[in-house]
Amino acid sequence: MRRLLLIGPFILALFLVACDKDNKENPNPNPEPSEKDKILINYPWRMSSVTDLSGKAIPFNQLNAQTQAIKEVMDIQFLQNNVTKAIDQGSKQVINGGTWYLKNENKTLDIKISGFSGEFGVEEISNSKLRLKSKMPVSGVEQETIMVFEPVIK
């Protein structure tokens, strides 16, 4: 009987130690943005070109209507709270919105906006360029491409 009375406090002590350990391992459930996150949220991004994997520019008229609209009409703004907005280049009005997340150790950018959604391979994120790898139709044939974005400096 005495052993049973000692087991209760022992189990309670183990439980409290385990809970304290969890709090120390993850003291901040909302981590600070990474350097790449900070670069993305610094300013809106405008598509400057689409290239093949060798870096050769794909002519505008060979891109599908969706990609042409992104290039000619929209700037993409990434916000710190993982909200993204498609902004009209001329009027600066928000056309559309959604979410974004850098995943897989910053190797994938997951964007969810109507008309521009998917997981894009991150080829480069710097203060002067954003290059995203994607499959898209070029002259009606699906192929690997690199979408090149430049920051819109206000």
Side-chain angles (χ1 to χ4, degrees), residues 95-115:
I95 302 169
N96 210 340
T99 60
W100 70 276
Y101 294 94
L102 273 173
K103 299 169 30 175
N104 303 325
E105 299 176 357
N106 297 329
K107 294 178 184 163
T108 305
L109 180 58
D110 185 6
I111 301 173
K112 292 197 178 15
I113 299 178
S114 293

Side-chain angles (χ1 to χ4, degrees), residues 1-8:
M1 178 76 168
R2 191 162 192 200
R3 282 186 179 168
L4 290 176
L5 290 175
L6 293 175
I7 292 176

Side-chain angles (χ1 to χ4, degrees), residues 26 30 39 86 113 115-116 124:
N26 191 9
N30 298 320
I39 291 170
I113 299 178
F116 186 65
E124 178 183 353

Side-chain angles (χ1 to χ4, degrees), residues 97-150:
T99 60
W100 70 276
Y101 294 94
L102 273 173
K103 299 169 30 175
N104 303 325
E105 299 176 357
N106 297 329
K107 294 178 184 163
T108 305
L109 180 58
D110 185 6
I111 301 173
K112 292 197 178 15
I113 299 178
S114 293
F116 186 65
S117 290
E119 290 191 0
F120 303 93
V122 176
E123 297 292 308
E124 178 183 353
I125 296 178
S126 69
N127 283 314
S128 61
K129 196 173 286 183
L130 171 62
R131 295 175 57 236
L132 302 175
K133 187 175 185 179
S134 177
K135 280 190 172 186
M136 68 174 62
V138 176
S139 295
V141 178
E142 191 87 2
Q143 77 176 56
E144 292 275 324
T145 61
I146 305 289
M147 296 179 292
V148 181
F149 293 83
E150 294 178 353

Side-chain angles (χ1 to χ4, degrees), residues 6-22:
L6 293 175
I7 292 176
F10 180 71
I11 292 173
L12 180 61
L14 283 176
F15 177 75
L16 291 175
V17 169
C19 288
D20 189 47
K21 181 181 175 188
D22 287 345

